[in-house]
Amino acid sequence: MLLFLLWGGAASAQLGGKSVVVTERTRAELLAHAPEGLEPGKPVWVGLQLTHQPEWHSYWKNPGDSGLPTKLEWKLPAGVLAGEIAWPMPRKYPIGTLINYGYEHTVLLPVPLNISSDFQPSLLSGALEVKLKAQWLVCRKECIPEEGEFLLAIPAKSAIALHGPVFQASFAAQPKPLADKATVTIDGTSLRLRVSGLPADLRNKPLEFFPETPEVIETSAQWSQAWDGQVWTAQVPLSPQRSLSPDAMPIVLTQGNQGWSIDARVQGTWPATAAPAAVSPALQEALRKNVTAAAAESGARLTFMAALLGALLGGLILNMMPCVFPVLAIKVLGFAQHGSNQRARRLDGVAYSAGVVASFVALGLLVVALRGAGQQLGWGFQLQVPGVVAALALLFTLVGLNLAGVFEVRQFIPSRLASLQSSHPAVNAFLSGVLAVVVASPCTAPFMGAALGFAVGLPAAQAILIFAALGTGMALPYLVASWVPAFAQLLPRPGEWMVNLRQLMAFPMFAAVVWLLWVLGQQSGIDAASALLVVLIATSMLAWSLGLTGRTRVIVGVIAVAWAVGFAWLLAGKVGTVRPQQAVEANDGTWQAWVPGRVEQLLASGRPVFVDFTAAWCVTCQYNKKTVLQNPEVLADFAARNVALLRADWTLRDPAITAALGELGRSGVPLYVFYTNKAPAQILSEILSASELRAALTAAPLAPSPTVTQASQ
């Protein structure tokens, strides 16, 4: 419930602004311009303004060799129609051997609205409500599809000119129509263009050429241009993948900040076309490399059934992770308590399994809901909130004290509920399943990463099935054991050993509390960890006081409560002020902090790159770090091959890291990726081994020496 409250509030807090959508790469805003009000025949404009981060760009109506044009879907009231985008002049973006057409920095894509006499403003707001669903592709060296939904209310009885300069600048950036004529003559495998009517001061100056019709010319091929008196001419190669044969070709010519547009009449017969494709082959290749190449080690992309099987296997393996072991040991005690009562043992197994599966389904519903609300989440996301880490430390402390015999749960609850608890042991078993999932959340097992990464991109129903399969896999061993009589015969008879084992299981819980204190220290600093430690001590004192009698119980209890409340207030102030992200990211000279674009920079310098996606709360990450990534021999192998080591620390929420995980087909940590210039990115196992890492290094080509690389940077 605490997780739902924390994350539900965070999601609702970000849903207020409907006219602006912000990602790590772009800021998209829906703007309006109605300088003479909303009257029939008057100019009314709306437009999507895209502000790109440095080095990122989106695309023109013809994206060029790769890319996709921005797509706008309008939902307008009766009597209002949206026209076509008035595209500003594009520019060319060479990327390797490709050339794309698009926009960088800030661009406005204006669209005219036609207001008829049938239009009636909204009865509630007295305004024109404009709804837009937009999709755009932004690229740097990698390409990322983005989208947003926008809502804008334009007052019906007043003029809107606040964004007039922005719209006027966009109108000025549009190509001017030419009134003369232009022709395109098909000449074998090329096109010959002739354009008349261009301004006289352009003669003998080179122009840039942009065809509005996509997939006709070979965009990145060499082409020639010349002036024949007052006529501009050009020879442009046809594309081998040409899919269209237009009768007329609208073209745009630019020179500096000026541009002109004209429809060129096509003369001649088009050669046979290639098979049409929904997406250009160049874009298909770019997206395949940028989004799914890292998963190519397994041969092909996951299918839904393969993801279900992976989730089931991941859940099974999760039982062997150190996070879950204390809870499973407690369940063994439950087996022994039932003795030869087969019915009670089976009921216990079913209830525990139901708790596990229900918890995973609830977690899946939460992830799907928050993803739909625009949140970027992954496995273990709740542990990125310092308040949740503190709450789990308190819960684990109480569980450990209960196992040690310091208090019993019935001391906290009314006698009626205590009797209900004893008469319904299935409730305890169900809650044990819930606790097992809570304890397991910091762990990632093999097969889990690919399955969960696949799940977050599926429709809600299929994603929930993936989470349910993960819960089924985790619950399956206990469920089978509870229904197999032979397993019960392997257990010793109930006796004193059960009390000793129960008390022994308190120590792993206390160890988990120490680990959570360390995580909180990484997130919010040593003061927050110290305040939480005092709260835990006061809570332990309160639990111990429940076993006292008379006035002593009251006095000790009051002192403990006052102590706990005071330091809890101090703790709340500390966890509310999260440390800067660079305080979490380790940069010790050997490892550098991962930032977007750093991998590409290092690869361009000729160095291979190894990225450790990790988090302080990820137990598997810490195990791999201690056993492999801090191994002197492994570090020596990295150094010998001049491998750049980057650490992406996901201890606190970081949308850039979340996006990078998603591009690699994962939704959680640990994730280990090895990049080279000669092959697709290689994803290594969640349980990392020195032999696997060395095999990946051995297969990679040698990089330039460190001295040469450093000089090049």
Side-chain angles (χ1 to χ4, degrees):
M1 181 60 69
L2 177 62
L3 302 184
F4 280 88
L5 291 175
L6 286 172
W7 283 92
S12 62
Q14 296 188 17
L15 290 176
K18 292 293 185 70
S19 64
V20 178
V21 172
V22 179
T23 71
E24 296 80 42
R25 295 156 291 275
T26 56
R27 181 186 186 274
E29 183 175 6
L30 179 59
L31 304 178
H33 180 57
E36 300 180 43
L38 300 181
E39 295 184 12
K42 300 296 184 181
V44 179
W45 292 84
V46 290
L48 183 68
Q49 185 183 62
L50 295 175
T51 302
H52 307 85
Q53 290 293 328
E55 301 182 9
W56 291 89
H57 64 270
S58 57
Y59 291 90
W60 187 49
K61 62 190 305 181
N62 173 11
D65 276 326
S66 65
L68 291 171
T70 299
K71 181 180 180 182
L72 306 180
E73 297 180 7
W74 302 96
K75 187 175 182 181
L76 302 167
V80 181
L81 294 177
E84 298 296 326
I85 298 174
W87 296 91
M89 291 179 294
R91 57 159 292 187
K92 295 182 179 180
Y93 294 91
I95 300 180
T97 60
L98 306 179
I99 292 181
N100 299 328
Y101 306 148
Y103 311 98
E104 60 182 357
H105 306 309
T106 298
V107 64
L108 176 68
L109 305 179
V111 173
L113 295 185
N114 180 19
I115 310 294
S116 72
S117 58
D118 296 331
F119 165 65
Q120 296 294 330
S122 169
L123 294 177
L124 295 178
S125 62
L128 165 60
E129 292 187 353
V130 178
K131 295 181 180 179
L132 169 65
K133 181 177 181 180
Q135 298 174 326
W136 61 95
L137 182 72
V138 288
C139 294
R140 187 173 53 184
K141 291 182 179 179
E142 65 272 29
C143 293
I144 300 176
E146 296 184 338
E147 63 180 6
E149 295 188 9
F150 305 82
L151 174 63
L152 194 62
I154 306 175
K157 297 183 179 180
S158 60
I160 300 296
L162 176 64
H163 301 293
V166 178
F167 278 87
Q168 292 302 326
S170 180
F171 298 153
Q174 293 169 16
K176 303 177 181 65
L178 288 175
D180 219 311
K181 67 177 182 178
T183 60
V184 172
T185 303
I186 301 170
D187 185 8
T189 59
S190 64
L191 299 178
R192 288 187 288 109
L193 286 79
R194 294 181 63 84
V195 180
S196 304
L198 290 164
D201 58 357
L202 291 180
R203 292 172 191 170
N204 299 321
K205 292 182 180 180
L207 305 181
E208 289 287 2
F209 162 65
F210 301 89
E212 294 188 13
T213 308
E215 299 180 16
V216 172
I217 70 166
E218 185 71 10
T219 308
S220 56
Q222 293 291 328
W223 62 287
S224 60
Q225 60 176 307
W227 285 88
D228 184 5
Q230 301 179 2
V231 179
W232 179 82
T233 67
Q235 188 93 3
V236 183
L238 279 173
S239 170
Q241 285 83 34
R242 180 180 60 84
S243 60
L244 298 175
S245 302
D247 295 328
M249 285 186 61
I251 61 175
V252 172
L253 300 175
T254 66
Q255 215 285 326
N257 294 325
Q258 294 182 297
W260 300 267
S261 63
I262 192 170
D263 289 349
R265 183 168 49 87
V266 177
Q267 300 175 341
T269 302
W270 289 101
T273 61
V279 179
S280 70
L283 177 60
Q284 288 178 339
E285 180 67 11
L287 292 178
R288 184 191 69 81
K289 289 182 177 179
N290 293 328
V291 180
T292 62
E297 54 165 335
S298 58
R301 296 177 63 185
L302 279 176
T303 64
F304 177 64
M305 293 306 297
L308 280 177
L309 180 59
L312 187 68
L313 292 174
L316 283 168
I317 298 173
L318 197 58
N319 289 293
M320 295 183 287
M321 306 302 288
C323 310
V324 189
F325 176 74
V327 177
L328 295 182
I330 295 171
K331 295 312 299 176
V332 172
L333 290 175
F335 270 135
Q337 287 174 345
H338 295 308
S340 60
N341 189 338
Q342 183 174 338
R343 180 180 180 277
R345 190 170 59 253
R346 289 180 175 179
L347 179 62
D348 188 281
V350 171
Y352 171 80
S353 301
V356 171
V357 175
S359 299
F360 270 104
V361 169
L363 188 61
L365 287 170
L366 180 60
V367 170
V368 169
L370 294 181
R371 283 265 182 177
Q375 296 283 312
Q376 289 189 313
L377 305 174
W379 177 250
F381 68 94
Q382 65 273 24
L383 292 172
Q384 294 174 328
V385 181
V388 174
V389 173
L392 288 178
L394 180 60
L395 172 63
F396 289 5
T397 298
L398 292 173
V399 171
L401 293 173
N402 175 252
L403 292 172
V406 173
F407 75 95
E408 296 296 333
V409 176
R410 66 177 67 93
Q411 295 175 286
F412 278 109
I413 60 178
S415 57
R416 180 180 300 178
L417 290 179
S419 61
L420 180 64
Q421 179 196 23
S422 60
S423 60
H424 292 81
V427 175
N428 287 336
F430 182 89
L431 294 177
S432 296
V434 175
L435 178 63
V437 176
V438 172
V439 174
S441 59
C443 281
T444 300
F447 302 102
M448 274 183 60
L452 290 176
F454 184 74
V456 296
L458 292 175
Q462 293 182 337
I464 298 305
L465 286 177
I466 298 291
F467 278 89
L470 185 58
T472 301
M474 182 175 174
L476 194 58
Y478 187 81
L479 181 63
V480 171
S482 67
W483 282 75
V484 176
F487 182 81
Q489 296 174 2
L490 297 176
L491 295 174
R493 295 182 180 276
E496 185 66 22
W497 70 270
M498 295 174 57
V499 177
N500 296 333
L501 179 59
R502 172 180 169 173
Q503 294 174 347
L504 179 64
M505 287 301 102
F507 294 98
M509 301 307 296
F510 293 143
V513 172
V514 173
W515 161 68
L516 288 169
L517 283 165
W518 176 75
V519 171
L520 187 67
Q522 296 290 308
Q523 294 175 327
S524 300
I526 190 63
D527 290 344
S530 300
L532 175 58
L533 181 59
V534 175
V535 171
L536 298 181
I537 294 173
T539 302
S540 303
M541 181 178 174
L542 177 61
W544 170 75
S545 71
L546 297 175
L548 303 177
T549 58
R551 183 178 300 176
T552 305
R553 175 177 181 175
V554 175
I555 294 174
V556 175
V558 169
I559 294 174
V561 169
W563 197 7
V565 170
F567 278 88
W569 177 81
L570 177 63
L571 174 64
K574 294 297 182 182
V575 300
T577 306
V578 179
R579 296 171 62 199
Q581 182 68 20
Q582 56 264 32
V584 177
E585 296 172 336
N587 192 337
D588 58 4
T590 302
W591 292 86
Q592 303 176 40
W594 178 94
V595 293
R598 183 59 176 155
V599 172
E600 291 81 358
Q601 293 175 0
L602 291 167
L603 288 175
S605 71
R607 298 184 68 183
V609 182
F610 179 83
V611 182
D612 171 20
F613 290 89
T614 184
W617 43 261
C618 170
V619 176
T620 311
C621 302
Q622 302 309 316
Y623 172 81
N624 290 334
K625 186 182 296 184
K626 297 295 183 184
T627 58
V628 179
L629 297 181
Q630 292 180 352
N631 186 321
E633 296 180 358
V634 172
L635 292 175
D637 289 343
F638 278 133
R641 292 186 170 270
N642 194 24
V643 177
L645 303 179
L646 301 183
R647 181 157 284 153
D649 197 314
W650 208 38
T651 301
L652 296 173
R653 294 191 68 197
D654 188 325
I657 295 178
T658 307
L661 290 170
E663 293 168 16
L664 292 166
R666 296 294 188 269
S667 67
V669 293
L671 179 65
Y672 305 104
V673 190
F674 186 52
Y675 297 89
T676 65
N677 279 320
K678 303 297 183 181
Q682 181 181 358
I683 291 181
L684 305 181
S685 302
E686 287 94 340
I687 307 297
L688 196 61
S689 68
S691 59
E692 179 189 15
L693 190 52
R694 285 175 171 171
L697 291 174
T698 303
L702 286 171
S705 65
T707 54
V708 173
T709 302
Q710 291 168 2
S712 67
Q713 294 181 17

